[in-house]
Amino acid sequence: MEDLTKAEEKIFSAAKEEFIEKGFDGARMQAIADRAGISKAALHYYYRSKEKLFKKVVNFIFNMVFNSVKQKIEEKLSFEEKVHFIISMYIDTILQHKHMAFFLFSELMKHPQILDELIKKQEKITTLSAAYQAELEKGKIRSIEPRHLILNVVSMCIYPILGSPLIIRILGFSKTEYDAFLQERKEQVFEFVMKSLRP
Amino acid sequence: MEDLTKAEEKIFSAAKEEFIEKGFDGARMQAIADRAGISKAALHYYYRSKEKLFKKVVNFIFNMVFNSVKQKIEEKLSFEEKVHFIISMYIDTILQHKHMAFFLFSELMKHPQILDELIKKQEKITTLSAAYQAELEKGKIRSIEPRHLILNVVSMCIYPILGSPLIIRILGFSKTEYDAFLQERKEQVFEFVMKSLRP
DNA sequence: ATTTGCCTTAACCATCCGGTCAAACCATGT
DNA sequence: ACATGGTTTGACCGGATGGTTAAGGCAAAT
Protein backbone atom coordinates (compact mmCIF):
# COMPACT_ATOMS: atom_id res chain seq x y z
CA MET A 1 0.00 0.00 0.00
CA GLU A 2 1.25 3.44 -0.87
CA ASP A 3 1.77 5.95 1.94
CA LEU A 4 -1.37 7.66 3.10
CA THR A 5 -1.85 11.03 4.74
CA LYS A 6 -3.15 11.05 8.29
CA ALA A 7 -6.66 11.87 7.05
CA GLU A 8 -6.59 9.05 4.52
CA GLU A 9 -5.25 6.73 7.19
CA LYS A 10 -8.09 7.56 9.56
CA ILE A 11 -10.68 7.16 6.82
CA PHE A 12 -9.26 3.89 5.63
CA SER A 13 -9.15 2.39 9.07
CA ALA A 14 -12.67 3.62 9.75
CA ALA A 15 -13.77 2.00 6.50
CA LYS A 16 -12.12 -1.27 7.47
CA GLU A 17 -14.01 -1.35 10.75
CA GLU A 18 -17.36 -0.51 9.19
CA PHE A 19 -17.07 -2.93 6.28
CA ILE A 20 -15.82 -5.76 8.49
CA GLU A 21 -18.68 -5.28 10.95
CA LYS A 22 -21.48 -4.71 8.46
CA GLY A 23 -20.39 -6.06 5.09
CA PHE A 24 -20.75 -4.10 1.87
CA ASP A 25 -24.54 -3.85 1.86
CA GLY A 26 -24.80 -3.09 5.56
CA ALA A 27 -22.02 -0.49 5.67
CA ARG A 28 -22.99 3.19 5.49
CA MET A 29 -20.80 5.93 4.07
CA GLN A 30 -22.08 8.30 6.75
CA ALA A 31 -21.05 5.82 9.44
CA ILE A 32 -17.55 5.63 7.98
CA ALA A 33 -17.33 9.42 7.91
CA ASP A 34 -18.49 9.59 11.53
CA ARG A 35 -15.95 7.02 12.67
CA ALA A 36 -13.22 9.00 10.91
CA GLY A 37 -14.49 12.27 12.42
CA ILE A 38 -15.01 13.99 9.08
CA SER A 39 -17.90 14.89 6.82
CA LYS A 40 -19.39 12.59 4.22
CA ALA A 41 -18.31 15.04 1.53
CA ALA A 42 -14.69 14.80 2.66
CA LEU A 43 -14.98 11.05 2.56
CA HIS A 44 -16.06 11.20 -1.07
CA TYR A 45 -13.29 13.67 -1.77
CA TYR A 46 -10.69 11.03 -0.87
CA TYR A 47 -12.38 7.85 -2.07
CA ARG A 48 -14.82 8.67 -4.82
CA SER A 49 -17.35 5.94 -4.36
CA LYS A 50 -18.42 3.21 -1.98
CA GLU A 51 -17.38 0.52 -4.46
CA LYS A 52 -13.88 1.93 -4.88
CA LEU A 53 -13.37 2.27 -1.15
CA PHE A 54 -14.68 -1.24 -0.63
CA LYS A 55 -12.38 -2.76 -3.21
CA LYS A 56 -9.37 -1.05 -1.64
CA VAL A 57 -10.34 -2.42 1.75
CA VAL A 58 -10.84 -5.93 0.38
CA ASN A 59 -7.54 -5.75 -1.44
CA PHE A 60 -5.73 -4.59 1.69
CA ILE A 61 -7.23 -7.25 3.94
CA PHE A 62 -6.70 -9.97 1.36
CA ASN A 63 -3.02 -9.16 1.12
CA MET A 64 -2.64 -8.84 4.87
CA VAL A 65 -4.21 -12.22 5.61
CA PHE A 66 -2.60 -14.09 2.74
CA ASN A 67 0.83 -12.63 3.29
CA SER A 68 0.84 -13.71 6.91
CA VAL A 69 -0.28 -17.17 5.86
CA LYS A 70 2.23 -17.42 3.06
CA GLN A 71 5.35 -17.16 5.23
CA LYS A 72 8.25 -19.05 3.80
CA ILE A 73 8.52 -22.63 4.92
CA GLU A 74 12.18 -23.23 5.55
CA GLU A 75 13.72 -25.81 3.25
CA LYS A 76 15.58 -27.64 5.95
CA LEU A 77 12.46 -28.63 7.85
CA SER A 78 11.40 -32.27 7.66
CA PHE A 79 8.04 -33.19 6.16
CA GLU A 80 6.63 -33.72 9.63
CA GLU A 81 7.90 -30.34 10.79
CA LYS A 82 6.45 -28.69 7.71
CA VAL A 83 3.00 -30.11 8.34
CA HIS A 84 3.20 -29.02 11.96
CA PHE A 85 4.35 -25.54 10.94
CA ILE A 86 1.57 -25.11 8.41
CA ILE A 87 -1.13 -26.15 10.84
CA SER A 88 0.10 -23.94 13.65
CA MET A 89 0.57 -20.99 11.35
CA TYR A 90 -2.87 -21.36 9.78
CA ILE A 91 -4.63 -21.57 13.12
CA ASP A 92 -2.64 -18.73 14.68
CA THR A 93 -3.04 -16.43 11.70
CA ILE A 94 -6.72 -16.99 11.16
CA LEU A 95 -7.35 -16.74 14.89
CA GLN A 96 -5.49 -13.44 14.92
CA HIS A 97 -7.44 -12.01 11.99
CA LYS A 98 -10.69 -13.73 12.80
CA HIS A 99 -13.06 -10.93 11.83
CA MET A 100 -11.13 -10.06 8.71
CA ALA A 101 -11.04 -13.70 7.66
CA PHE A 102 -14.76 -14.05 8.03
CA PHE A 103 -15.37 -10.76 6.25
CA LEU A 104 -13.18 -11.88 3.37
CA PHE A 105 -14.79 -15.28 3.15
CA SER A 106 -18.27 -13.86 3.27
CA GLU A 107 -17.83 -11.02 0.78
CA LEU A 108 -15.73 -13.03 -1.65
CA MET A 109 -18.46 -15.64 -1.71
CA LYS A 110 -21.00 -13.03 -2.70
CA HIS A 111 -18.72 -11.42 -5.30
CA PRO A 112 -16.28 -14.09 -6.49
CA GLN A 113 -15.20 -11.90 -9.42
CA ILE A 114 -13.19 -9.84 -6.93
CA LEU A 115 -11.03 -12.88 -6.37
CA ASP A 116 -10.07 -13.09 -10.02
CA GLU A 117 -8.45 -9.69 -9.79
CA LEU A 118 -6.59 -10.67 -6.62
CA ILE A 119 -5.26 -14.12 -7.37
CA LYS A 120 -1.97 -14.29 -9.17
CA LYS A 121 -0.46 -17.57 -8.15
CA GLN A 122 -0.54 -20.01 -5.33
CA GLU A 123 2.56 -22.16 -4.93
CA LYS A 124 1.90 -23.30 -1.37
CA ILE A 125 0.62 -26.63 -2.65
CA THR A 126 3.66 -27.52 -4.71
CA THR A 127 6.02 -26.66 -1.86
CA LEU A 128 4.25 -29.11 0.41
CA SER A 129 3.45 -31.76 -2.15
CA ALA A 130 7.15 -31.91 -3.16
CA ALA A 131 8.08 -32.67 0.44
CA TYR A 132 5.22 -35.16 0.49
CA GLN A 133 6.55 -36.95 -2.60
CA ALA A 134 10.01 -37.33 -1.10
CA GLU A 135 8.60 -38.71 2.14
CA LEU A 136 6.36 -41.09 0.24
CA GLU A 137 9.30 -42.52 -1.72
CA LYS A 138 11.19 -43.09 1.51
CA GLY A 139 8.22 -45.23 2.51
CA LYS A 140 7.61 -43.22 5.67
CA ILE A 141 4.01 -42.33 4.84
CA ARG A 142 1.18 -43.91 2.95
CA SER A 143 -0.04 -42.81 -0.45
CA ILE A 144 -2.77 -40.18 -0.63
CA GLU A 145 -4.03 -37.74 -3.26
CA PRO A 146 -2.18 -34.50 -2.27
CA ARG A 147 -5.12 -32.21 -3.02
CA HIS A 148 -7.29 -34.13 -0.62
CA LEU A 149 -4.57 -33.98 2.01
CA ILE A 150 -4.21 -30.23 1.61
CA LEU A 151 -7.94 -29.64 1.69
CA ASN A 152 -8.29 -31.84 4.75
CA VAL A 153 -5.63 -29.90 6.63
CA VAL A 154 -6.92 -26.52 5.59
CA SER A 155 -10.52 -27.42 6.40
CA MET A 156 -9.67 -28.65 9.87
CA CYS A 157 -7.82 -25.39 10.55
CA ILE A 158 -10.16 -22.84 9.00
CA TYR A 159 -13.69 -24.09 9.56
CA PRO A 160 -13.57 -24.38 13.35
CA ILE A 161 -12.49 -20.73 13.49
CA LEU A 162 -14.69 -19.30 10.74
CA GLY A 163 -17.74 -21.00 12.15
CA SER A 164 -16.88 -20.46 15.81
CA PRO A 165 -19.99 -18.42 16.70
CA LEU A 166 -22.10 -21.30 15.40
CA ILE A 167 -19.97 -24.12 16.76
CA ILE A 168 -19.79 -22.56 20.21
CA ARG A 169 -23.56 -22.56 20.40
CA ILE A 170 -24.07 -25.98 18.92
CA LEU A 171 -21.42 -27.76 20.99
CA GLY A 172 -22.19 -25.71 24.09
CA PHE A 173 -18.77 -24.17 24.70
CA SER A 174 -18.09 -20.89 26.45
CA LYS A 175 -15.88 -18.46 24.55
CA THR A 176 -12.86 -18.95 26.78
CA GLU A 177 -13.29 -22.72 26.72
CA TYR A 178 -13.41 -22.60 22.95
CA ASP A 179 -10.26 -20.50 22.74
CA ALA A 180 -8.41 -23.12 24.76
CA PHE A 181 -9.95 -25.81 22.58
CA LEU A 182 -8.66 -24.11 19.45
CA GLN A 183 -5.17 -23.94 20.93
CA GLU A 184 -5.32 -27.68 21.65
CA ARG A 185 -6.28 -28.19 18.03
CA LYS A 186 -2.83 -27.21 16.83
CA GLU A 187 -1.48 -30.44 18.33
CA GLN A 188 -4.66 -32.44 17.83
CA VAL A 189 -4.92 -31.73 14.11
CA PHE A 190 -1.22 -32.39 13.64
CA GLU A 191 -1.51 -35.71 15.44
CA PHE A 192 -4.67 -36.56 13.51
CA VAL A 193 -2.97 -35.94 10.19
CA MET A 194 0.31 -37.72 10.96
CA LYS A 195 -1.48 -40.72 12.44
CA SER A 196 -3.54 -40.95 9.28
CA LEU A 197 -0.45 -40.82 7.08
CA ARG A 198 1.22 -43.84 8.74
CA PRO A 199 1.92 -46.46 6.06
CA MET B 1 -44.70 -25.48 8.92
CA GLU B 2 -48.43 -24.96 8.86
CA ASP B 3 -50.27 -25.28 5.55
CA LEU B 4 -50.03 -22.24 3.33
CA THR B 5 -52.42 -20.99 0.68
CA LYS B 6 -51.15 -20.93 -2.88
CA ALA B 7 -50.43 -17.21 -2.62
CA GLU B 8 -48.51 -17.63 0.60
CA GLU B 9 -46.65 -20.53 -0.92
CA LYS B 10 -45.59 -18.48 -3.93
CA ILE B 11 -44.57 -15.56 -1.75
CA PHE B 12 -42.62 -17.74 0.63
CA SER B 13 -40.74 -19.49 -2.09
CA ALA B 14 -40.01 -16.15 -3.77
CA ALA B 15 -38.71 -14.86 -0.46
CA LYS B 16 -36.46 -17.88 -0.06
CA GLU B 17 -34.90 -17.29 -3.46
CA GLU B 18 -34.37 -13.59 -2.90
CA PHE B 19 -32.93 -13.90 0.61
CA ILE B 20 -30.67 -16.79 -0.38
CA GLU B 21 -29.29 -14.89 -3.35
CA LYS B 22 -28.93 -11.49 -1.74
CA GLY B 23 -28.90 -11.94 2.03
CA PHE B 24 -31.01 -9.84 4.38
CA ASP B 25 -29.46 -6.46 3.58
CA GLY B 26 -29.33 -7.06 -0.15
CA ALA B 27 -32.83 -8.48 -0.50
CA ARG B 28 -35.61 -6.12 -1.67
CA MET B 29 -39.27 -6.47 -0.76
CA GLN B 30 -40.22 -5.25 -4.23
CA ALA B 31 -38.08 -7.97 -5.78
CA ILE B 32 -39.79 -10.61 -3.67
CA ALA B 33 -43.19 -9.27 -4.72
CA ASP B 34 -42.15 -9.33 -8.38
CA ARG B 35 -40.90 -12.91 -8.18
CA ALA B 36 -44.18 -13.92 -6.60
CA GLY B 37 -46.15 -11.98 -9.22
CA ILE B 38 -48.02 -9.79 -6.73
CA SER B 39 -47.84 -6.24 -5.46
CA LYS B 40 -45.64 -5.08 -2.63
CA ALA B 41 -48.75 -4.22 -0.61
CA ALA B 42 -50.04 -7.78 -0.93
CA LEU B 43 -46.67 -8.98 0.26
CA HIS B 44 -46.95 -6.88 3.41
CA TYR B 45 -50.50 -8.08 3.83
CA TYR B 46 -49.29 -11.65 4.27
CA TYR B 47 -45.98 -11.08 6.04
CA ARG B 48 -46.08 -7.83 7.90
CA SER B 49 -42.43 -6.87 7.80
CA LYS B 50 -39.14 -7.76 6.18
CA GLU B 51 -37.76 -8.95 9.52
CA LYS B 52 -40.68 -11.28 10.15
CA LEU B 53 -40.53 -12.74 6.67
CA PHE B 54 -36.78 -13.17 6.99
CA LYS B 55 -37.03 -14.98 10.29
CA LYS B 56 -39.61 -17.36 8.89
CA VAL B 57 -37.36 -18.11 5.96
CA VAL B 58 -34.34 -18.68 8.18
CA ASN B 59 -36.37 -20.91 10.45
CA PHE B 60 -37.65 -22.95 7.52
CA ILE B 61 -34.25 -23.41 5.91
CA PHE B 62 -32.60 -24.17 9.23
CA ASN B 63 -35.07 -26.96 9.91
CA MET B 64 -34.87 -28.29 6.38
CA VAL B 65 -31.07 -28.53 6.38
CA PHE B 66 -30.71 -29.81 9.92
CA ASN B 67 -33.49 -32.33 9.62
CA SER B 68 -31.95 -33.87 6.54
CA VAL B 69 -28.60 -34.00 8.30
CA LYS B 70 -30.08 -35.42 11.48
CA GLN B 71 -31.38 -38.65 9.93
CA LYS B 72 -31.37 -41.52 12.36
CA ILE B 73 -28.23 -43.55 12.39
CA GLU B 74 -29.31 -47.14 12.63
CA GLU B 75 -28.25 -48.81 15.83
CA LYS B 76 -27.05 -51.99 14.20
CA LEU B 77 -24.36 -50.25 12.16
CA SER B 78 -20.78 -50.77 13.24
CA PHE B 79 -18.67 -47.81 14.30
CA GLU B 80 -16.91 -47.84 10.96
CA GLU B 81 -20.22 -47.90 9.10
CA LYS B 82 -21.52 -45.06 11.23
CA VAL B 83 -18.55 -42.87 10.43
CA HIS B 84 -18.93 -43.67 6.75
CA PHE B 85 -22.65 -42.94 6.87
CA ILE B 86 -22.19 -39.60 8.63
CA ILE B 87 -19.56 -38.43 6.16
CA SER B 88 -21.56 -39.45 3.07
CA MET B 89 -24.74 -37.94 4.43
CA TYR B 90 -23.08 -34.68 5.39
CA ILE B 91 -21.46 -34.23 2.01
CA ASP B 92 -24.57 -35.25 0.05
CA THR B 93 -26.92 -33.08 2.11
CA ILE B 94 -24.79 -29.98 2.11
CA LEU B 95 -24.03 -30.43 -1.58
CA GLN B 96 -27.75 -30.71 -2.25
CA HIS B 97 -28.59 -27.57 -0.26
CA LYS B 98 -25.42 -25.72 -1.11
CA HIS B 99 -26.89 -22.24 -1.47
CA MET B 100 -29.11 -22.61 1.56
CA ALA B 101 -26.21 -23.85 3.64
CA PHE B 102 -24.10 -20.88 2.70
CA PHE B 103 -26.97 -18.50 3.28
CA LEU B 104 -27.56 -19.97 6.72
CA PHE B 105 -23.90 -19.89 7.64
CA SER B 106 -23.49 -16.35 6.46
CA GLU B 107 -26.60 -14.85 8.02
CA LEU B 108 -26.30 -16.75 11.28
CA MET B 109 -22.77 -15.42 11.61
CA LYS B 110 -24.03 -11.86 11.33
CA HIS B 111 -26.95 -12.41 13.70
CA PRO B 112 -26.02 -15.25 16.04
CA GLN B 113 -28.97 -14.41 18.33
CA ILE B 114 -31.22 -16.05 15.75
CA LEU B 115 -29.50 -19.33 16.52
CA ASP B 116 -30.42 -19.15 20.19
CA GLU B 117 -34.08 -19.23 19.25
CA LEU B 118 -33.54 -22.18 16.93
CA ILE B 119 -31.31 -24.50 18.88
CA LYS B 120 -33.04 -26.88 21.23
CA LYS B 121 -30.77 -29.87 21.48
CA GLN B 122 -28.11 -31.66 19.54
CA GLU B 123 -27.66 -35.32 20.39
CA LYS B 124 -25.70 -36.26 17.27
CA ILE B 125 -22.45 -36.17 19.24
CA THR B 126 -23.50 -38.53 21.99
CA THR B 127 -24.82 -41.05 19.48
CA LEU B 128 -21.45 -41.20 17.77
CA SER B 129 -19.27 -40.84 20.84
CA ALA B 130 -21.04 -43.78 22.48
CA ALA B 131 -20.17 -45.96 19.51
CA TYR B 132 -16.68 -44.52 19.68
CA GLN B 133 -16.32 -45.49 23.37
CA ALA B 134 -17.35 -49.06 22.67
CA GLU B 135 -14.91 -49.36 19.79
CA LEU B 136 -12.14 -47.85 21.88
CA GLU B 137 -12.65 -50.37 24.69
CA LYS B 138 -12.44 -53.20 22.19
CA GLY B 139 -9.01 -51.81 21.34
CA LYS B 140 -9.89 -51.41 17.69
CA ILE B 141 -9.11 -47.70 17.53
CA ARG B 142 -6.76 -45.31 19.27
CA SER B 143 -7.77 -42.81 21.90
CA ILE B 144 -8.78 -39.33 20.79
CA GLU B 145 -10.79 -36.47 22.29
CA PRO B 146 -14.27 -37.04 20.74
CA ARG B 147 -15.02 -33.37 20.21
CA HIS B 148 -11.87 -32.96 18.14
CA LEU B 149 -12.80 -36.05 16.14
CA ILE B 150 -16.28 -34.72 15.43
CA LEU B 151 -15.03 -31.27 14.52
CA ASN B 152 -12.41 -32.79 12.24
CA VAL B 153 -14.98 -34.84 10.39
CA VAL B 154 -17.50 -32.01 10.12
CA SER B 155 -14.85 -29.54 8.98
CA MET B 156 -13.57 -31.82 6.24
CA CYS B 157 -17.14 -32.27 4.98
CA ILE B 158 -18.50 -28.75 5.25
CA TYR B 159 -15.67 -26.39 4.44
CA PRO B 160 -14.79 -27.74 0.99
CA ILE B 161 -18.42 -27.21 -0.03
CA LEU B 162 -19.12 -23.92 1.72
CA GLY B 163 -15.95 -22.41 0.36
CA SER B 164 -16.15 -24.01 -3.06
CA PRO B 165 -16.28 -20.77 -5.08
CA LEU B 166 -13.04 -19.75 -3.40
CA ILE B 167 -11.37 -23.14 -3.44
CA ILE B 168 -12.19 -23.69 -7.10
CA ARG B 169 -10.38 -20.50 -7.99
CA ILE B 170 -7.44 -21.02 -5.67
CA LEU B 171 -6.78 -24.65 -6.60
CA GLY B 172 -7.63 -24.06 -10.26
CA PHE B 173 -10.47 -26.55 -10.65
CA SER B 174 -13.31 -26.31 -13.12
CA LYS B 175 -16.79 -26.66 -11.66
CA THR B 176 -17.39 -30.13 -13.06
CA GLU B 177 -13.94 -31.28 -11.96
CA TYR B 178 -14.66 -30.01 -8.51
CA ASP B 179 -17.99 -31.82 -8.34
CA ALA B 180 -16.25 -35.08 -9.12
CA PHE B 181 -13.58 -34.19 -6.58
CA LEU B 182 -16.23 -33.67 -3.91
CA GLN B 183 -17.75 -37.07 -4.70
CA GLU B 184 -14.32 -38.66 -4.29
CA ARG B 185 -14.08 -36.97 -0.93
CA LYS B 186 -16.78 -39.20 0.55
CA GLU B 187 -14.35 -42.12 0.34
CA GLN B 188 -11.22 -40.05 0.82
CA VAL B 189 -12.38 -38.43 4.05
CA PHE B 190 -13.63 -41.75 5.37
CA GLU B 191 -10.30 -43.39 4.62
CA PHE B 192 -8.43 -40.43 6.09
CA VAL B 193 -10.38 -40.65 9.34
CA MET B 194 -10.26 -44.42 9.75
CA LYS B 195 -6.53 -44.56 8.95
CA SER B 196 -5.95 -41.93 11.59
CA LEU B 197 -7.92 -43.90 14.17
CA ARG B 198 -5.79 -47.02 13.80
CA PRO B 199 -4.37 -47.97 17.24
C1' DA C 1 -79.48 -8.34 -4.39
C1' DT C 2 -76.92 -7.25 -0.59
C1' DT C 3 -73.77 -8.01 2.84
C1' DT C 4 -69.55 -9.93 4.54
C1' DG C 5 -64.80 -10.93 4.65
C1' DC C 6 -60.77 -12.01 2.27
C1' DC C 7 -57.57 -10.39 -1.11
C1' DT C 8 -55.30 -6.96 -4.37
C1' DT C 9 -53.79 -2.73 -6.02
C1' DA C 10 -52.22 2.06 -7.18
C1' DA C 11 -50.87 5.85 -5.05
C1' DC C 12 -48.54 7.71 -1.45
C1' DC C 13 -45.33 8.68 2.64
C1' DA C 14 -41.33 9.26 5.42
C1' DT C 15 -36.90 8.03 5.62
C1' DC C 16 -32.50 6.79 4.16
C1' DC C 17 -28.63 6.59 1.15
C1' DG C 18 -24.90 7.49 -2.14
C1' DG C 19 -23.24 11.19 -4.28
C1' DT C 20 -22.65 16.34 -5.77
C1' DC C 21 -21.62 21.24 -5.41
C1' DA C 22 -20.70 25.80 -4.40
C1' DA C 23 -18.90 28.19 -0.84
C1' DA C 24 -15.75 28.65 2.86
C1' DC C 25 -11.36 27.46 5.16
C1' DC C 26 -6.52 27.50 5.68
C1' DA C 27 -1.68 27.02 4.97
C1' DT C 28 1.83 28.29 1.88
C1' DG C 29 4.40 31.06 -1.44
C1' DT C 30 5.03 35.75 -3.37
C1' DA D 1 -1.39 41.85 1.89
C1' DC D 2 -2.74 39.03 -1.61
C1' DA D 3 -3.26 35.11 -4.55
C1' DT D 4 -3.10 30.12 -5.02
C1' DG D 5 -4.57 25.50 -4.50
C1' DG D 6 -5.50 21.71 -1.77
C1' DT D 7 -8.95 20.55 1.89
C1' DT D 8 -13.47 20.57 4.38
C1' DT D 9 -18.18 21.39 4.94
C1' DG D 10 -23.43 22.13 5.10
C1' DA D 11 -26.96 21.95 2.22
C1' DC D 12 -28.98 19.65 -1.22
C1' DC D 13 -30.53 16.08 -4.99
C1' DG D 14 -32.50 12.10 -7.07
C1' DG D 15 -33.67 7.79 -6.44
C1' DA D 16 -34.60 3.75 -3.82
C1' DT D 17 -36.74 1.43 0.06
C1' DG D 18 -39.80 -0.39 3.76
C1' DG D 19 -44.14 0.34 4.94
C1' DT D 20 -49.19 2.43 4.91
C1' DT D 21 -53.77 3.54 3.28
C1' DA D 22 -58.03 4.01 1.09
C1' DA D 23 -60.56 2.21 -2.32
C1' DG D 24 -62.14 -1.40 -4.88
C1' DG D 25 -62.66 -6.47 -6.59
C1' DC D 26 -64.51 -10.86 -5.94
C1' DA D 27 -66.66 -14.98 -4.31
C1' DA D 28 -69.39 -17.19 -0.85
C1' DA D 29 -72.98 -16.60 2.57
C1' DT D 30 -77.51 -14.35 3.71
Side-chain angles (χ1 to χ4, degrees), chain A residues 23 30 41-43 46 48 53-54 58-59 94 96 132 136 142 146 164 167 172 178 188-189 195:
Chain A
Q30 185 62 60
L43 174 57
Y46 285 103
R48 308 208 199 175
L53 180 52
F54 180 72
V58 169
N59 190 64
I94 311 235
Q96 200 180 339
Y132 159 79
L136 177 64
R142 71 179 175 91
S164 55
I167 298 170
Y178 197 64
Q188 284 281 346
V189 171
K195 286 258 160 84

Side-chain angles (χ1 to χ4, degrees), chain A residues 26-40:
Chain A
R28 298 288 163 246
M29 292 299 267
Q30 185 62 60
I32 295 175
D34 290 347
R35 283 190 204 240
I38 56 159
S39 72
K40 199 176 49 161

Side-chain angles (χ1 to χ4, degrees), chain A residues 2-193:
Chain A
E2 320 90 70
D3 34 28
L4 304 172
T5 68
K6 267 162 203 149
E8 284 173 302
E9 196 80 64
K10 267 202 304 186
I11 294 176
F12 197 70
S13 122
K16 275 188 284 181
E17 293 174 23
E18 177 76 4
F19 279 128
I20 287 174
E21 283 178 28
K22 310 278 182 62
F24 179 79
D25 289 327
R28 298 288 163 246
M29 292 299 267
Q30 185 62 60
I32 295 175
D34 290 347
R35 283 190 204 240
I38 56 159
S39 72
K40 199 176 49 161
L43 174 57
H44 277 87
Y45 173 80
Y46 285 103
Y47 300 90
R48 308 208 199 175
S49 75
K50 193 181 180 182
E51 263 92 8
K52 291 203 170 140
L53 180 52
F54 180 72
K55 281 191 179 173
K56 289 206 175 183
V57 168
V58 169
N59 190 64
F60 177 83
I61 293 182
F62 182 86
N63 286 330
M64 153 169 265
V65 172
F66 272 67
N67 282 340
S68 358
V69 157
K70 238 195 287 183
Q71 288 169 36
K72 267 275 168 286
I73 300 174
E74 295 195 33
E75 288 301 329
K76 49 189 167 191
L77 294 182
S78 68
F79 173 75
E80 204 170 319
E81 286 168 328
K82 280 182 185 172
V83 172
H84 191 272
F85 180 77
I86 287 178
I87 292 172
S88 293
M89 190 184 59
Y90 251 80
I91 291 183
D92 281 338
T93 305
I94 311 235
L95 211 47
Q96 200 180 339
H97 306 298
K98 214 169 170 174
H99 296 97
M100 295 191 195
F102 178 70
F103 163 77
L104 260 189
F105 182 78
S106 191
E107 295 296 326
L108 289 182
M109 291 293 289
K110 262 187 273 184
H111 316 285
Q113 335 84 331
I114 300 182
L115 247 187
D116 296 329
E117 303 165 21
L118 293 175
I119 291 186
K120 319 292 179 197
K121 53 183 178 271
Q122 200 75 3
E123 78 287 358
K124 185 179 21 172
I125 296 152
T126 56
T127 185
L128 184 69
S129 65
Y132 159 79
Q133 273 300 335
E135 198 78 351
L136 177 64
E137 278 157 24
K138 276 190 269 171
K140 295 199 171 180
I141 55 178
R142 71 179 175 91
S143 156
I144 183 176
E145 156 73 61
R147 290 177 305 182
H148 282 292
L149 173 59
I150 284 284
L151 204 45
N152 287 347
V153 171
V154 171
S155 297
M156 287 188 286
C157 293
I158 293 185
Y159 181 74
I161 302 175
L162 269 195
S164 55
L166 273 71
I167 298 170
I168 283 176
R169 273 156 230 259
I170 291 178
L171 296 189
F173 278 100
S174 79
K175 281 194 181 182
T176 51
E177 280 172 348
Y178 197 64
D179 278 345
F181 184 73
L182 285 178
Q183 287 306 320
E184 274 176 44
R185 278 190 75 72
K186 280 192 264 182
E187 297 310 319
Q188 284 281 346
V189 171
F190 173 68
E191 189 185 351
F192 193 80
V193 172

